Amino acid sequence: MAEGEDMQTFTSIMDALVRISTSMKNMEKELLCPVCQEMYKQPLVLPCAHNVCQACARELLGQQGYIGPGGDPSSEPTSPASTPSTRSPRLSRRTLPKPDRLDRLLKSGFGTYPGRKRGALHPQVIMFPCPACQGDVELGERGLAGLFRNLTLERVVERYRQSVSAGGAIPCQLCKPPPLDATKGCTECRATFCNECFKLFHPWGTQKAQHEPTLPTLSFRPKGLMCPDHKEEVTHYCKTCQRLVCQLCRVRRTHGGHKITPVLSAYQALKDKLTKSLTYILGNQDTVQTQICELEETVRHTEVSGQQAKEEVSQLVRGLGAVLDEKRASLLQAIEECQQERLARLSAQIQEHRSLLDGSGLVGYAQEVLKETDQPCFVQAAKQLHNRIARATEALQTFRPAAGSSFRHCQLDVGREMKLLTELNFLQVPEAPVIDTQRTFAYDQIFLCWRLPPHSPPAWHYTIEFRRTDAPAQPGPARWQRREEVRGTSALLENPDTGSVYVLRVRGCNKAGYGEYSEDVHLHTPPAPGTIRTVGTTAVPRMPRWRRPRPSLS
């Protein structure tokens, strides 16, 4: 009995480990930099709410000509582990210019960079090509130095690395090969050390001796989220700018009149929204799975319908003889492209819905973010995540397949004469009709006559639109009166206003849809009985009722 219980416990533990491993594995795509396709390293949050590694951002800006091969001048100094020339304690004592000093020099006109004139009063605004949204985002004058680091994302990446390689020792970054296991880390030096290397790079009596050792880690980050402008801890959130701010930011003109709240309020509000949205998605997993099944069924119907449409077209075209062989290829290509487009849209929709399943990448990443207790960091990471979750929730609530499975628009009109076989194609909309000015006139009634161009596809019916041009002006666009489904190529409009100018137009319709409008035609109706119509400087009396006037066109 005890052995059975132990086996059941062991099985449940293994199942839980498998689920956790699958969830973390699905979440990996959320942790990949869009540039290097590797795990994020010191990710920066762009103004468009996407993330990118700091090194990748420098490289992209270097390709744009903003910075040199040495990197952003306002970035942090390199660590001893990444700079071979600083392996000696004597060399490591050489202090680099402070970033804020370099920034002040650049802003004051001392020094130049590509794209900036020497001594310019207004520094250049740096544009960054976001690799995720494929758009250019404005970084401002400070460039990468004005961006926040996504500390929450760094913590999630570190937890993921630890779950993948559990129990793996971190090597010392300063030892000669083979390196010893690291026993200490230094946030100031941004490197891991063994005991001997730590003593070597932190000699007694120097400023580095004041550095506090930490546990060895693969990712070094500040203890809290700091304002990139004033290097102070952020304490508030500006709702107007949607940006975390510090105490100094609040008193500056940049945020004058903005709605600013404590970061605790923003943290709680955003966490509640994200939790509510995530709870809704997790509580509707059956709906997600049902919609995925429906999409898969739509894909199958699309494949079957597309295949049937291709077979029907092939059978019709084969019966027309050798003259239609070339035409058949073009028609099949059109159907194939339409089918592939629909399948691609449906596949993308399926993939989007699969990301909402429990244990998927997006949901797993959101669950990990909810574990964040650092309020500013959570607000920074959850803001962009909530937008994605909200869009996914909206797509779930307003579900509709991205494409239909019917290919009825690919039917062919096989009743045409043999002389039109060389122009055989899918049914097209009618061309714009031509108004017959010789048969169109206006009197106490308006008689409108038109015809289609010689090589136009047929029209099943027509739509006539008309309006007065001399009517009193009303707010908004001009409103047309419409007469739908007119059969034939002429129409009679009764009871028009006397002494007015009407503008009319016509368009045809068939199974493929509505065609283009004809050119506008203007018709003058005669004045009321007993009135005089003035043409130029000559008074013309109203014509007798029993005489038909010549058409008056303009």
Side-chain angles (χ1 to χ4, degrees), residues 407-462:
F407 280 78
R408 293 181 179 179
H409 67 285
C410 297
Q411 294 180 359
L412 294 178
D413 183 6
V414 296
R416 296 182 178 183
E417 295 79 356
M418 292 296 295
K419 64 179 180 179
L420 299 178
L421 288 178
T422 56
E423 300 177 359
L424 182 63
N425 202 338
F426 295 122
L427 189 61
Q428 302 294 321
V429 297
E431 296 181 12
V434 179
I435 303 297
D436 187 353
T437 57
Q438 299 298 324
R439 301 174 56 192
T440 298
F441 61 89
Y443 192 49
D444 53 353
Q445 296 174 335
I446 296 178
F447 183 76
L448 185 64
C449 186
W450 63 90
R451 65 179 182 275
L452 286 176
H455 302 290
S456 171
W460 292 1
H461 57 80
Y462 297 89

Tab-separated table of all heavy atoms in Angstrom, residues 407-462:
chain	number	residue	atom	x	y	z
A	407	PHE	N	-15.272	29.383	-52.149
A	407	PHE	CA	-14.585	29.878	-53.336
A	407	PHE	C	-15.573	30.146	-54.458
A	407	PHE	O	-15.289	29.928	-55.627
A	407	PHE	CB	-13.512	28.874	-53.796
A	407	PHE	CG	-12.252	28.948	-53.009
A	407	PHE	CD1	-12.163	28.375	-51.759
A	407	PHE	CD2	-11.149	29.610	-53.519
A	407	PHE	CE1	-11.004	28.442	-51.030
A	407	PHE	CE2	-9.972	29.682	-52.796
A	407	PHE	CZ	-9.906	29.093	-51.542
A	408	ARG	N	-16.747	30.638	-54.088
A	408	ARG	CA	-17.758	30.890	-55.095
A	408	ARG	C	-17.361	32.010	-56.045
A	408	ARG	O	-17.839	32.055	-57.179
A	408	ARG	CB	-19.087	31.242	-54.416
A	408	ARG	CG	-19.688	30.061	-53.639
A	408	ARG	CD	-21.015	30.453	-53.015
A	408	ARG	NE	-21.608	29.325	-52.289
A	408	ARG	CZ	-22.754	29.383	-51.625
A	408	ARG	NH1	-23.432	30.536	-51.596
A	408	ARG	NH2	-23.213	28.331	-50.987
A	409	HIS	N	-16.506	32.915	-55.570
A	409	HIS	CA	-16.110	34.009	-56.445
A	409	HIS	C	-15.183	33.532	-57.562
A	409	HIS	O	-14.832	34.311	-58.442
A	409	HIS	CB	-15.409	35.098	-55.635
A	409	HIS	CG	-14.084	34.675	-55.067
A	409	HIS	ND1	-13.980	33.825	-53.984
A	409	HIS	CD2	-12.825	34.969	-55.452
A	409	HIS	CE1	-12.719	33.622	-53.718
A	409	HIS	NE2	-11.978	34.304	-54.592
A	410	CYS	N	-14.786	32.262	-57.520
A	410	CYS	CA	-13.915	31.720	-58.563
A	410	CYS	C	-14.699	31.000	-59.661
A	410	CYS	O	-14.100	30.315	-60.488
A	410	CYS	CB	-12.888	30.770	-57.946
A	410	CYS	SG	-11.762	31.553	-56.784
A	411	GLN	N	-16.026	31.080	-59.635
A	411	GLN	CA	-16.814	30.448	-60.683
A	411	GLN	C	-16.609	31.167	-62.017
A	411	GLN	O	-16.326	32.363	-62.052
A	411	GLN	CB	-18.302	30.484	-60.305
A	411	GLN	CG	-18.630	29.634	-59.083
A	411	GLN	CD	-20.116	29.688	-58.735
A	411	GLN	OE1	-20.868	30.375	-59.413
A	411	GLN	NE2	-20.508	28.971	-57.711
A	412	LEU	N	-16.754	30.410	-63.080
A	412	LEU	CA	-16.546	30.935	-64.424
A	412	LEU	C	-17.873	31.076	-65.157
A	412	LEU	O	-18.796	30.285	-64.948
A	412	LEU	CB	-15.617	30.013	-65.212
A	412	LEU	CG	-14.175	29.910	-64.709
A	412	LEU	CD1	-13.399	28.933	-65.567
A	412	LEU	CD2	-13.514	31.266	-64.719
A	413	ASP	N	-17.948	32.072	-65.999
A	413	ASP	CA	-19.101	32.263	-66.875
A	413	ASP	C	-18.812	31.536	-68.195
A	413	ASP	O	-18.163	32.068	-69.095
A	413	ASP	CB	-19.326	33.760	-67.121
A	413	ASP	CG	-20.569	34.016	-67.963
A	413	ASP	OD1	-21.306	33.040	-68.239
A	413	ASP	OD2	-20.793	35.173	-68.339
A	414	VAL	N	-19.302	30.277	-68.314
A	414	VAL	CA	-19.005	29.446	-69.495
A	414	VAL	C	-20.023	29.636	-70.598
A	414	VAL	O	-19.942	28.959	-71.638
A	414	VAL	CB	-18.939	27.958	-69.083
A	414	VAL	CG1	-17.790	27.722	-68.128
A	414	VAL	CG2	-20.267	27.502	-68.469
A	415	GLY	N	-20.985	30.535	-70.450
A	415	GLY	CA	-21.983	30.748	-71.474
A	415	GLY	C	-21.596	31.808	-72.491
A	415	GLY	O	-22.415	32.187	-73.328
A	416	ARG	N	-20.427	32.295	-72.412
A	416	ARG	CA	-20.026	33.323	-73.371
A	416	ARG	C	-19.740	32.692	-74.739
A	416	ARG	O	-19.449	31.495	-74.840
A	416	ARG	CB	-18.776	34.047	-72.860
A	416	ARG	CG	-19.021	34.811	-71.575
A	416	ARG	CD	-17.767	35.546	-71.153
A	416	ARG	NE	-18.000	36.323	-69.938
A	416	ARG	CZ	-17.098	37.107	-69.370
A	416	ARG	NH1	-15.890	37.210	-69.906
A	416	ARG	NH2	-17.390	37.765	-68.279
A	417	GLU	N	-19.757	33.555	-75.737
A	417	GLU	CA	-19.508	33.092	-77.093
A	417	GLU	C	-18.056	32.644	-77.240
A	417	GLU	O	-17.178	33.039	-76.480
A	417	GLU	CB	-19.814	34.201	-78.094
A	417	GLU	CG	-21.280	34.613	-78.149
A	417	GLU	CD	-21.701	35.532	-77.030
A	417	GLU	OE1	-20.849	35.786	-76.143
A	417	GLU	OE2	-22.863	35.972	-77.022
A	418	MET	N	-17.840	31.798	-78.264
A	418	MET	CA	-16.513	31.256	-78.489
A	418	MET	C	-15.501	32.345	-78.848
A	418	MET	O	-14.311	32.193	-78.558
A	418	MET	CB	-16.568	30.217	-79.615
A	418	MET	CG	-17.339	28.959	-79.257
A	418	MET	SD	-16.556	28.045	-77.912
A	418	MET	CE	-15.034	27.568	-78.687
A	419	LYS	N	-15.968	33.439	-79.400
A	419	LYS	CA	-15.039	34.496	-79.773
A	419	LYS	C	-14.441	35.199	-78.556
A	419	LYS	O	-13.449	35.926	-78.677
A	419	LYS	CB	-15.727	35.520	-80.664
A	419	LYS	CG	-16.854	36.270	-79.982
A	419	LYS	CD	-17.475	37.280	-80.940
A	419	LYS	CE	-18.611	38.051	-80.262
A	419	LYS	NZ	-19.210	39.051	-81.180
A	420	LEU	N	-15.053	35.001	-77.361
A	420	LEU	CA	-14.552	35.628	-76.134
A	420	LEU	C	-13.667	34.701	-75.324
A	420	LEU	O	-13.283	35.045	-74.198
A	420	LEU	CB	-15.720	36.101	-75.264
A	420	LEU	CG	-16.657	37.144	-75.878
A	420	LEU	CD1	-17.785	37.451	-74.911
A	420	LEU	CD2	-15.893	38.409	-76.227
A	421	LEU	N	-13.357	33.510	-75.869
A	421	LEU	CA	-12.598	32.539	-75.082
A	421	LEU	C	-11.203	33.062	-74.734
A	421	LEU	O	-10.663	32.749	-73.670
A	421	LEU	CB	-12.482	31.229	-75.851
A	421	LEU	CG	-13.780	30.408	-75.947
A	421	LEU	CD1	-13.540	29.155	-76.766
A	421	LEU	CD2	-14.308	30.051	-74.580
A	422	THR	N	-10.604	33.824	-75.643
A	422	THR	CA	-9.257	34.325	-75.364
A	422	THR	C	-9.235	35.356	-74.243
A	422	THR	O	-8.172	35.653	-73.686
A	422	THR	CB	-8.666	34.958	-76.631
A	422	THR	OG1	-9.553	35.973	-77.107
A	422	THR	CG2	-8.462	33.895	-77.704
A	423	GLU	N	-10.407	35.909	-73.888
A	423	GLU	CA	-10.497	36.890	-72.801
A	423	GLU	C	-11.173	36.311	-71.566
A	423	GLU	O	-11.602	37.050	-70.688
A	423	GLU	CB	-11.275	38.121	-73.279
A	423	GLU	CG	-10.648	38.821	-74.470
A	423	GLU	CD	-11.486	39.975	-74.962
A	423	GLU	OE1	-12.569	40.207	-74.375
A	423	GLU	OE2	-11.067	40.648	-75.920
A	424	LEU	N	-11.246	34.994	-71.506
A	424	LEU	CA	-11.914	34.332	-70.384
A	424	LEU	C	-11.182	34.636	-69.079
A	424	LEU	O	-9.958	34.525	-68.991
A	424	LEU	CB	-11.964	32.829	-70.613
A	424	LEU	CG	-12.678	32.003	-69.545
A	424	LEU	CD1	-14.145	32.391	-69.467
A	424	LEU	CD2	-12.530	30.520	-69.838
A	425	ASN	N	-11.941	35.008	-68.073
A	425	ASN	CA	-11.359	35.353	-66.782
A	425	ASN	C	-12.456	35.270	-65.738
A	425	ASN	O	-13.623	35.038	-66.060
A	425	ASN	CB	-10.767	36.768	-66.805
A	425	ASN	CG	-9.722	36.962	-65.728
A	425	ASN	OD1	-9.702	36.248	-64.734
A	425	ASN	ND2	-8.836	37.923	-65.933
A	426	PHE	N	-12.085	35.434	-64.486
A	426	PHE	CA	-13.098	35.501	-63.440
A	426	PHE	C	-13.996	36.707	-63.703
A	426	PHE	O	-13.561	37.718	-64.263
A	426	PHE	CB	-12.459	35.618	-62.056
A	426	PHE	CG	-11.662	34.400	-61.662
A	426	PHE	CD1	-10.316	34.511	-61.349
A	426	PHE	CD2	-12.251	33.157	-61.605
A	426	PHE	CE1	-9.590	33.404	-60.983
A	426	PHE	CE2	-11.531	32.037	-61.246
A	426	PHE	CZ	-10.192	32.154	-60.929
A	427	LEU	N	-15.239	36.589	-63.280
A	427	LEU	CA	-16.226	37.621	-63.553
A	427	LEU	C	-15.767	38.954	-62.968
A	427	LEU	O	-15.380	39.040	-61.797
A	427	LEU	CB	-17.579	37.216	-62.944
A	427	LEU	CG	-18.774	38.072	-63.326
A	427	LEU	CD1	-19.008	38.031	-64.824
A	427	LEU	CD2	-20.012	37.603	-62.571
A	428	GLN	N	-15.812	39.997	-63.791
A	428	GLN	CA	-15.391	41.334	-63.377
A	428	GLN	C	-16.606	42.245	-63.221
A	428	GLN	O	-17.678	41.972	-63.763
A	428	GLN	CB	-14.440	41.945	-64.427
A	428	GLN	CG	-13.204	41.111	-64.679
A	428	GLN	CD	-12.289	41.048	-63.477
A	428	GLN	OE1	-12.113	42.040	-62.770
A	428	GLN	NE2	-11.685	39.883	-63.250
A	429	VAL	N	-16.432	43.315	-62.473
A	429	VAL	CA	-17.515	44.286	-62.294
A	429	VAL	C	-17.696	45.072	-63.594
A	429	VAL	O	-16.766	45.192	-64.402
A	429	VAL	CB	-17.209	45.245	-61.131
A	429	VAL	CG1	-17.121	44.486	-59.827
A	429	VAL	CG2	-15.913	46.018	-61.380
A	430	PRO	N	-18.881	45.608	-63.838
A	430	PRO	CA	-19.100	46.398	-65.063
A	430	PRO	C	-18.244	47.659	-65.065
A	430	PRO	O	-17.900	48.216	-64.026
A	430	PRO	CB	-20.594	46.737	-65.012
A	430	PRO	CG	-21.186	45.785	-64.027
A	430	PRO	CD	-20.111	45.483	-63.044
A	431	GLU	N	-17.902	48.093	-66.261
A	431	GLU	CA	-17.193	49.353	-66.401
A	431	GLU	C	-18.164	50.526	-66.206
A	431	GLU	O	-19.385	50.341	-66.141
A	431	GLU	CB	-16.519	49.434	-67.775
A	431	GLU	CG	-15.445	48.380	-67.993
A	431	GLU	CD	-14.788	48.521	-69.345
A	431	GLU	OE1	-15.010	49.571	-70.011
A	431	GLU	OE2	-14.051	47.597	-69.758
A	432	ALA	N	-17.612	51.712	-66.105
A	432	ALA	CA	-18.447	52.895	-65.891
A	432	ALA	C	-19.357	53.132	-67.098
A	432	ALA	O	-18.878	53.159	-68.246
A	432	ALA	CB	-17.565	54.118	-65.657
A	433	PRO	N	-20.679	53.282	-66.895
A	433	PRO	CA	-21.592	53.534	-68.023
A	433	PRO	C	-21.306	54.887	-68.681
A	433	PRO	O	-20.689	55.784	-68.088
A	433	PRO	CB	-22.980	53.508	-67.371
A	433	PRO	CG	-22.793	52.807	-66.065
A	433	PRO	CD	-21.405	53.127	-65.624
A	434	VAL	N	-21.774	55.031	-69.921
A	434	VAL	CA	-21.645	56.268	-70.689
A	434	VAL	C	-23.038	56.870	-70.863
A	434	VAL	O	-23.951	56.196	-71.374
A	434	VAL	CB	-20.985	56.009	-72.057
A	434	VAL	CG1	-20.890	57.308	-72.851
A	434	VAL	CG2	-19.606	55.389	-71.878
A	435	ILE	N	-23.227	58.113	-70.432
A	435	ILE	CA	-24.536	58.767	-70.550
A	435	ILE	C	-24.781	59.136	-72.015
A	435	ILE	O	-23.923	59.732	-72.678
A	435	ILE	CB	-24.598	60.023	-69.658
A	435	ILE	CG1	-24.307	59.648	-68.203
A	435	ILE	CG2	-25.960	60.689	-69.775
A	435	ILE	CD1	-25.308	58.707	-67.585
A	436	ASP	N	-25.964	58.786	-72.504
A	436	ASP	CA	-26.368	59.126	-73.870
A	436	ASP	C	-26.987	60.526	-73.834
A	436	ASP	O	-28.163	60.709	-73.507
A	436	ASP	CB	-27.364	58.091	-74.398
A	436	ASP	CG	-27.679	58.295	-75.866
A	436	ASP	OD1	-27.232	59.309	-76.427
A	436	ASP	OD2	-28.386	57.439	-76.442
A	437	THR	N	-26.201	61.544	-74.194
A	437	THR	CA	-26.670	62.932	-74.101
A	437	THR	C	-27.726	63.263	-75.159
A	437	THR	O	-28.479	64.235	-74.994
A	437	THR	CB	-25.476	63.890	-74.247
A	437	THR	OG1	-24.818	63.629	-75.498
A	437	THR	CG2	-24.488	63.686	-73.103
A	438	GLN	N	-27.789	62.499	-76.238
A	438	GLN	CA	-28.773	62.769	-77.270
A	438	GLN	C	-30.176	62.344	-76.857
A	438	GLN	O	-31.171	62.870	-77.372
A	438	GLN	CB	-28.382	62.033	-78.562
A	438	GLN	CG	-27.030	62.467	-79.125
A	438	GLN	CD	-27.012	63.933	-79.502
A	438	GLN	OE1	-28.024	64.469	-79.992
A	438	GLN	NE2	-25.883	64.592	-79.280
A	439	ARG	N	-30.279	61.440	-75.929
A	439	ARG	CA	-31.587	60.926	-75.510
A	439	ARG	C	-31.927	61.302	-74.076
A	439	ARG	O	-32.941	60.851	-73.546
A	439	ARG	CB	-31.612	59.401	-75.660
A	439	ARG	CG	-31.359	58.928	-77.093
A	439	ARG	CD	-31.240	57.414	-77.140
A	439	ARG	NE	-32.424	56.782	-76.561
A	439	ARG	CZ	-32.498	55.478	-76.267
A	439	ARG	NH1	-31.439	54.707	-76.493
A	439	ARG	NH2	-33.601	54.979	-75.764
A	440	THR	N	-31.087	62.085	-73.429
A	440	THR	CA	-31.319	62.493	-72.045
A	440	THR	C	-31.781	63.947	-72.024
A	440	THR	O	-31.184	64.806	-72.676
A	440	THR	CB	-30.023	62.335	-71.228
A	440	THR	OG1	-29.641	60.962	-71.221
A	440	THR	CG2	-30.226	62.817	-69.794
A	441	PHE	N	-32.880	64.222	-71.307
A	441	PHE	CA	-33.383	65.584	-71.217
A	441	PHE	C	-34.141	65.770	-69.911
A	441	PHE	O	-34.442	64.800	-69.187
A	441	PHE	CB	-34.309	65.897	-72.403
A	441	PHE	CG	-35.510	65.012	-72.475
A	441	PHE	CD1	-36.692	65.341	-71.809
A	441	PHE	CD2	-35.490	63.830	-73.212
A	441	PHE	CE1	-37.808	64.531	-71.881
A	441	PHE	CE2	-36.606	63.020	-73.288
A	441	PHE	CZ	-37.768	63.361	-72.622
A	442	ALA	N	-34.430	67.038	-69.580
A	442	ALA	CA	-35.160	67.384	-68.365
A	442	ALA	C	-36.294	68.331	-68.726
A	442	ALA	O	-36.104	69.307	-69.458
A	442	ALA	CB	-34.218	68.040	-67.351
A	443	TYR	N	-37.485	68.026	-68.228
A	443	TYR	CA	-38.647	68.901	-68.383
A	443	TYR	C	-39.446	68.791	-67.097
A	443	TYR	O	-38.877	68.972	-66.010
A	443	TYR	CB	-39.433	68.519	-69.637
A	443	TYR	CG	-40.481	69.539	-70.024
A	443	TYR	CD1	-40.147	70.887	-70.095
A	443	TYR	CD2	-41.780	69.148	-70.299
A	443	TYR	CE1	-41.096	71.837	-70.444
A	443	TYR	CE2	-42.736	70.079	-70.654
A	443	TYR	CZ	-42.395	71.423	-70.720
A	443	TYR	OH	-43.336	72.354	-71.071
A	444	ASP	N	-40.719	68.480	-67.151
A	444	ASP	CA	-41.422	68.208	-65.904
A	444	ASP	C	-41.056	66.832	-65.364
A	444	ASP	O	-41.417	66.472	-64.250
A	444	ASP	CB	-42.941	68.315	-66.104
A	444	ASP	CG	-43.413	67.445	-67.263
A	444	ASP	OD1	-42.546	66.876	-67.971
A	444	ASP	OD2	-44.632	67.348	-67.449
A	445	GLN	N	-40.311	66.078	-66.159
A	445	GLN	CA	-39.718	64.824	-65.745
A	445	GLN	C	-38.279	64.787	-66.265
A	445	GLN	O	-37.928	65.494	-67.197
A	445	GLN	CB	-40.495	63.619	-66.297
A	445	GLN	CG	-41.929	63.515	-65.771
A	445	GLN	CD	-42.697	62.400	-66.459
A	445	GLN	OE1	-42.365	62.025	-67.580
A	445	GLN	NE2	-43.710	61.878	-65.781
A	446	ILE	N	-37.445	63.936	-65.620
A	446	ILE	CA	-36.064	63.766	-66.066
A	446	ILE	C	-35.938	62.381	-66.685
A	446	ILE	O	-36.225	61.366	-66.028
A	446	ILE	CB	-35.071	63.936	-64.903
A	446	ILE	CG1	-35.131	65.357	-64.356
A	446	ILE	CG2	-33.653	63.602	-65.345
A	446	ILE	CD1	-34.212	65.593	-63.178
A	447	PHE	N	-35.546	62.343	-67.930
A	447	PHE	CA	-35.346	61.080	-68.631
A	447	PHE	C	-33.848	60.881	-68.820
A	447	PHE	O	-33.176	61.691	-69.469
A	447	PHE	CB	-36.058	61.084	-69.986
A	447	PHE	CG	-35.938	59.780	-70.726
A	447	PHE	CD1	-36.692	58.682	-70.335
A	447	PHE	CD2	-35.078	59.649	-71.796
A	447	PHE	CE1	-36.576	57.479	-71.009
A	447	PHE	CE2	-34.952	58.457	-72.475
A	447	PHE	CZ	-35.722	57.362	-72.081
A	448	LEU	N	-33.321	59.794	-68.229
A	448	LEU	CA	-31.887	59.512	-68.261
A	448	LEU	C	-31.648	58.227	-69.035
A	448	LEU	O	-32.309	57.207	-68.792
A	448	LEU	CB	-31.341	59.373	-66.822
A	448	LEU	CG	-29.835	59.183	-66.661
A	448	LEU	CD1	-29.083	60.412	-67.157
A	448	LEU	CD2	-29.499	58.911	-65.186
A	449	CYS	N	-30.700	58.281	-69.965
A	449	CYS	CA	-30.392	57.133	-70.808
A	449	CYS	C	-28.882	56.929	-70.832
A	449	CYS	O	-28.122	57.906	-70.866
A	449	CYS	CB	-30.934	57.355	-72.223
A	449	CYS	SG	-30.739	55.918	-73.297
A	450	TRP	N	-28.432	55.668	-70.837
A	450	TRP	CA	-26.999	55.360	-70.799
A	450	TRP	C	-26.737	54.044	-71.531
A	450	TRP	O	-27.659	53.335	-71.935
A	450	TRP	CB	-26.503	55.275	-69.360
A	450	TRP	CG	-27.155	54.163	-68.575
A	450	TRP	CD1	-26.728	52.878	-68.461
A	450	TRP	CD2	-28.361	54.257	-67.821
A	450	TRP	NE1	-27.584	52.147	-67.687
A	450	TRP	CE2	-28.604	52.981	-67.269
A	450	TRP	CE3	-29.273	55.283	-67.549
A	450	TRP	CZ2	-29.700	52.699	-66.461
A	450	TRP	CZ3	-30.362	55.000	-66.749
A	450	TRP	CH2	-30.579	53.728	-66.218
A	451	ARG	N	-25.463	53.704	-71.659
A	451	ARG	CA	-25.051	52.443	-72.261
A	451	ARG	C	-23.699	52.049	-71.674
A	451	ARG	O	-22.951	52.902	-71.174
A	451	ARG	CB	-24.939	52.575	-73.777
A	451	ARG	CG	-23.856	53.534	-74.252
A	451	ARG	CD	-23.777	53.596	-75.767
A	451	ARG	NE	-22.700	54.494	-76.212
A	451	ARG	CZ	-22.829	55.799	-76.355
A	451	ARG	NH1	-24.001	56.385	-76.097
A	451	ARG	NH2	-21.804	56.532	-76.742
A	452	LEU	N	-23.394	50.755	-71.750
A	452	LEU	CA	-22.102	50.263	-71.296
A	452	LEU	C	-21.079	50.360	-72.421
A	452	LEU	O	-21.435	50.291	-73.599
A	452	LEU	CB	-22.208	48.806	-70.830
A	452	LEU	CG	-22.887	48.555	-69.479
A	452	LEU	CD1	-23.003	47.052	-69.226
A	452	LEU	CD2	-22.121	49.220	-68.339
A	453	PRO	N	-19.808	50.490	-72.089
A	453	PRO	CA	-18.773	50.456	-73.131
A	453	PRO	C	-18.807	49.130	-73.888
A	453	PRO	O	-19.325	48.127	-73.390
A	453	PRO	CB	-17.469	50.634	-72.343
A	453	PRO	CG	-17.871	51.324	-71.083
A	453	PRO	CD	-19.242	50.805	-70.763
A	454	PRO	N	-18.272	49.084	-75.092
A	454	PRO	CA	-18.395	47.879	-75.927
A	454	PRO	C	-17.854	46.607	-75.278
A	454	PRO	O	-18.472	45.550	-75.396
A	454	PRO	CB	-17.591	48.255	-77.184
A	454	PRO	CG	-17.603	49.754	-77.217
A	454	PRO	CD	-17.599	50.192	-75.798
A	455	HIS	N	-16.711	46.670	-74.597
A	455	HIS	CA	-16.088	45.462	-74.061
A	455	HIS	C	-16.292	45.325	-72.552
A	455	HIS	O	-15.535	44.615	-71.880
A	455	HIS	CB	-14.593	45.469	-74.375
A	455	HIS	CG	-14.297	45.555	-75.839
A	455	HIS	ND1	-14.547	44.506	-76.706
A	455	HIS	CD2	-13.800	46.569	-76.591
A	455	HIS	CE1	-14.197	44.852	-77.935
A	455	HIS	NE2	-13.748	46.109	-77.898
A	456	SER	N	-17.290	45.976	-72.023
A	456	SER	CA	-17.549	45.907	-70.580
A	456	SER	C	-18.233	44.596	-70.211
A	456	SER	O	-19.054	44.083	-70.970
A	456	SER	CB	-18.410	47.089	-70.143
A	456	SER	OG	-18.840	46.935	-68.811
A	457	PRO	N	-17.933	44.020	-69.030
A	457	PRO	CA	-18.713	42.878	-68.547
A	457	PRO	C	-20.167	43.268	-68.374
A	457	PRO	O	-20.496	44.443	-68.154
A	457	PRO	CB	-18.050	42.554	-67.194
A	457	PRO	CG	-16.678	43.123	-67.285
A	457	PRO	CD	-16.803	44.351	-68.131
A	458	PRO	N	-21.075	42.320	-68.478
A	458	PRO	CA	-22.503	42.659	-68.380
A	458	PRO	C	-22.880	43.129	-66.983
A	458	PRO	O	-22.235	42.796	-65.989
A	458	PRO	CB	-23.199	41.346	-68.738
A	458	PRO	CG	-22.215	40.280	-68.388
A	458	PRO	CD	-20.868	40.865	-68.668
A	459	ALA	N	-23.956	43.926	-66.942
A	459	ALA	CA	-24.509	44.404	-65.671
A	459	ALA	C	-25.898	43.810	-65.481
A	459	ALA	O	-26.703	43.784	-66.407
A	459	ALA	CB	-24.573	45.925	-65.645
A	460	TRP	N	-26.170	43.316	-64.286
A	460	TRP	CA	-27.478	42.744	-63.991
A	460	TRP	C	-28.503	43.850	-63.731
A	460	TRP	O	-29.655	43.723	-64.106
A	460	TRP	CB	-27.384	41.819	-62.784
A	460	TRP	CG	-26.584	40.580	-63.064
A	460	TRP	CD1	-25.962	40.242	-64.223
A	460	TRP	CD2	-26.320	39.521	-62.145
A	460	TRP	NE1	-25.324	39.049	-64.113
A	460	TRP	CE2	-25.525	38.562	-62.826
A	460	TRP	CE3	-26.653	39.266	-60.831
A	460	TRP	CZ2	-25.085	37.385	-62.229
A	460	TRP	CZ3	-26.210	38.090	-60.229
A	460	TRP	CH2	-25.441	37.165	-60.931
A	461	HIS	N	-28.075	44.888	-63.067
A	461	HIS	CA	-28.946	46.040	-62.808
A	461	HIS	C	-28.067	47.250	-62.547
A	461	HIS	O	-26.833	47.144	-62.473
A	461	HIS	CB	-29.901	45.778	-61.629
A	461	HIS	CG	-29.200	45.416	-60.348
A	461	HIS	ND1	-28.634	46.351	-59.527
A	461	HIS	CD2	-28.980	44.209	-59.760
A	461	HIS	CE1	-28.099	45.752	-58.486
A	461	HIS	NE2	-28.275	44.443	-58.599
A	462	TYR	N	-28.716	48.409	-62.393
A	462	TYR	CA	-27.992	49.675	-62.248
A	462	TYR	C	-28.507	50.431	-61.021
A	462	TYR	O	-29.631	50.194	-60.547
A	462	TYR	CB	-28.152	50.554	-63.491
A	462	TYR	CG	-27.561	49.946	-64.741
A	462	TYR	CD1	-28.332	49.106	-65.553
A	462	TYR	CD2	-26.257	50.207	-65.124
A	462	TYR	CE1	-27.804	48.542	-66.702
A	462	TYR	CE2	-25.717	49.644	-66.270
A	462	TYR	CZ	-26.494	48.815	-67.050
A	462	TYR	OH	-25.971	48.269	-68.182
